[in-house]
Amino acid sequence: MIDLSILSTISLLLLPAAAKQCVNITVPFQLSARNGVFDIPILQTNLDATTFTQNVTSIRGNFTNIALVDYATVTGDYEISAQYCTPDNGTSPNSVLQFLTHGIGFDKSYVKPRIYDWAKAIGPYWDIAYNDFNYSYIDVAVDQYRYSTLSIDRFGIGNSSIADPLNIVQAPAELNAIYKLTMMLRNGTMPGVSHSFNKIVHVGHSFGSSLTYELASMYPAASDGLILTGFSQNGSFLPGTVASWDSKLARLNDPLRFGSTSASSLEELISMIPISEVLSFLGSLNLTLAGFENIVNGTNILDLFSGIAGGFPMMQDLPTGYLTWVDAGSNQYAFLLPGYFAPNILTFIESTKQPYTLGEILTLPSVPIAAPNFKGPVQIVTGEQDVIFCGGDCLMTGNPDLASIPAKSATAFPASSAFEAYIQPNTGHAINVHYNSTGAYHVIQNFLSQHGLSSS
């Protein structure tokens, strides 16, 4: 007798490979948000950034409250850069869309490698092109589970509109952008998207999860389901994380991406470097390629090289209120678990990192206590060794009745139809860049399918 499971497997192998269809779109929106007004001097130097870090991490008091002088409604016409993906044969009346919001340090846009030829490519947090897209969340969600996705560059980041990094690009403004775009998707009014979606799941990572959680608290009817990755409501480890970043002005840390240095000035500078003498000096050190890579990865030289190897990219000329962590070491500490990520991934996520703003750091503590009226299913997916939200061990609760630190958030969703806190083993904060990332992706899709949010 023929084993039907074998026939089923064979039939799946014989089917043509699915291929997502993606388009990049620019979405205009009218901002209207109640932001904080902060009394902080304009940053001029990297030492000013250090002073800011000292202030926000001090136990003397809540620096957000200390610097806050008022609230103001900020308005204006801005744009969000997004990528819209559908299954290879398009959408159907039963299609469900996943709205993807990245966290600090990432974006949604495709980025080609800028450092040597150590790997093929790495892209955004949701659609990483490393190792033939084997790390791509969107590939799994769209090609294997038939969801549509909209991944955005958060307001103020990446290819979305750049704005005042202190008093405009804050959590409330970014939340307003997410809400406005969600309503466009429901109403069928989003440019470049010829479909209106009755069911939308909001998926976030880290700060993107915090914004997604705030969406459910303020606008509980806007979403049909929440997936909060790299998340818990324990903020006690955030000061240590911010301190570990040793923040610098983005335009000084990576001047060829975030500054305003002209290509001609750079070419003139390079022409002045005595290349033969440099090569002779390096030769005298008997450095292997691996040794040279270790030097580069251990300093912020990598951030300068990322711009040089990029072939004079378009420089953003960011205001000094845009910050970034100092180097790959800080990146690894916050986002990666040693031994469980491909060696070249750290190099690439450092060379393609995105900045964060003063306003974002100051409004991180503004997450509400609960989302009491949200009725959809909620899943938290956090790496077991997440440093930012679990201090490096999500199972270390000190309470035998509490399975994990993220599980405590069950009380924040008293009306939800289902709640699950899943802990991904052998994984740090940035789940999507670890070896076992796709395991977490399937956990997410299966949770949605089990709770009435499958797509067809």
Side-chain angles (χ1 to χ4, degrees):
M1 184 173 180
I2 299 175
D3 189 332
L4 294 179
S5 65
I6 294 176
L7 287 178
S8 176
T9 300
I10 294 173
S11 65
L12 286 172
L13 292 172
L14 293 175
L15 288 173
K20 64 183 184 290
Q21 304 296 316
C22 298
V23 293
N24 292 320
I25 57 178
T26 300
V27 185
F29 82 101
Q30 291 185 325
L31 173 66
S32 179
R34 185 173 181 264
N35 275 10
V37 178
F38 296 102
D39 182 18
I40 294 177
I42 296 174
L43 305 188
Q44 301 288 348
T45 69
N46 280 331
L47 288 180
D48 292 339
T50 300
T51 300
F52 175 75
T53 297
Q54 290 175 292
N55 287 330
V56 298
T57 59
S58 172
I59 64 172
R60 290 176 300 175
N62 185 323
F63 187 66
T64 295
N65 291 339
I66 294 172
L68 181 69
V69 295
D70 203 351
Y71 290 95
T73 298
V74 293
T75 60
D77 294 326
Y78 295 98
E79 294 179 338
I80 294 295
S81 176
Q83 183 185 65
Y84 173 61
C85 296
T86 63
D88 58 347
N89 61 351
T91 57
S92 74
N94 296 320
S95 293
V96 177
L97 180 130
Q98 295 190 22
F99 192 117
L100 311 177
T101 305
H102 63 86
I104 282 175
F106 294 91
D107 66 2
K108 66 97 191 75
S109 60
Y110 181 83
V111 182
K112 293 184 178 179
R114 289 190 170 97
I115 298 294
Y116 309 106
D117 190 23
W118 295 335
K120 287 186 177 179
I122 192 166
Y125 188 75
W126 301 111
D127 200 22
I128 296 173
Y130 184 84
N131 194 20
D132 198 25
F133 285 90
N134 285 336
Y135 290 77
S136 172
Y137 178 89
I138 293 177
D139 271 12
V140 172
V142 177
D143 290 342
Q144 299 184 37
Y145 292 86
R146 301 195 54 74
Y147 288 96
S148 296
T149 61
L150 185 84
S151 51
I152 65 167
D153 283 347
R154 296 192 329 268
F155 172 53
I157 303 300
N159 290 322
S160 291
S161 296
I162 302 302
D164 180 336
L166 177 60
N167 290 317
I168 300 295
V169 184
Q170 299 179 10
E174 296 183 50
L175 174 61
N176 182 254
I178 293 170
Y179 175 71
K180 294 286 180 64
L181 267 64
T182 298
M183 292 301 100
M184 292 180 195
L185 289 166
R186 290 198 179 278
N187 299 331
T189 57
M190 178 167 288
V193 178
S194 59
H195 188 86
S196 59
F197 290 90
N198 294 321
K199 291 186 177 181
I200 299 176
V201 176
H202 287 82
V203 184
H205 173 250
S206 191
F207 183 47
S209 289
S210 296
L211 293 171
T212 298
Y213 170 50
E214 290 187 62
L215 179 78
S217 180
M218 291 186 63
Y219 308 103
S223 185
D224 297 285
L226 304 181
I227 303 294
L228 309 176
T229 73
F231 179 80
S232 81
Q233 288 180 279
N234 188 332
S236 62
F237 308 108
L238 285 173
T241 299
V242 174
S244 75
W245 286 345
D246 189 15
S247 294
K248 307 301 179 187
L249 305 187
R251 62 181 296 113
L252 298 182
N253 179 261
D254 195 343
L256 300 179
R257 294 177 62 216
F258 305 133
S260 60
T261 304
S262 68
S264 60
S265 296
L266 180 62
E267 289 172 341
E268 182 180 355
L269 175 62
I270 291 175
S271 69
M272 297 169 62
I273 298 175
I275 299 298
S276 60
E277 294 181 22
V278 171
L279 293 176
S280 176
F281 172 72
L282 292 176
S284 69
L285 298 178
N286 294 318
L287 275 178
T288 62
L289 177 58
F292 179 68
E293 289 181 19
N294 285 333
I295 291 175
V296 170
N297 287 332
T299 69
N300 60 3
I301 293 174
L302 174 61
D303 300 303
L304 178 61
F305 280 5
S306 70
I308 294 174
F312 307 122
M314 182 177 294
M315 301 164 198
Q316 288 187 288
D317 194 13
L318 296 178
T320 56
Y322 277 84
L323 307 176
T324 187
W325 53 75
V326 62
D327 58 27
S330 295
N331 196 331
Q332 175 181 306
Y333 177 86
F335 293 100
L336 299 171
L337 177 63
Y340 293 94
F341 62 90
N344 297 328
I345 275 192
L346 175 57
T347 300
F348 281 104
I349 64 173
E350 176 65 19
S351 67
T352 59
K353 67 183 178 182
Q354 290 294 323
Y356 41 93
T357 72
L358 295 174
E360 288 177 325
I361 299 300
L362 290 168
T363 53
L364 281 174
S366 65
V367 177
I369 296 175
N373 298 316
F374 182 74
K375 298 180 179 180
V378 179
Q379 185 186 49
I380 298 177
V381 179
T382 300
E384 183 179 346
Q385 289 80 17
D386 189 305
V387 167
I388 297 178
F389 283 105
C390 293
D393 189 346
C394 283
L395 303 181
M396 187 70 70
T397 65
N399 180 354
D401 297 323
L402 185 64
S404 68
I405 293 173
K408 190 174 183 180
S409 293
T411 57
F413 301 96
S416 66
S417 60
F419 176 87
E420 179 183 65
Y422 171 77
I423 305 302
Q424 177 74 356
N426 300 324
T427 302
H429 182 64
I431 295 171
N432 293 22
V433 294
H434 286 78
Y435 283 133
N436 58 352
S437 60
T438 54
Y441 303 165
H442 290 290
V443 168
I444 292 170
Q445 315 313 315
N446 290 331
F447 175 84
L448 294 174
S449 297
Q450 292 164 9
H451 294 93
L453 289 171
S454 60
S455 187
S456 61

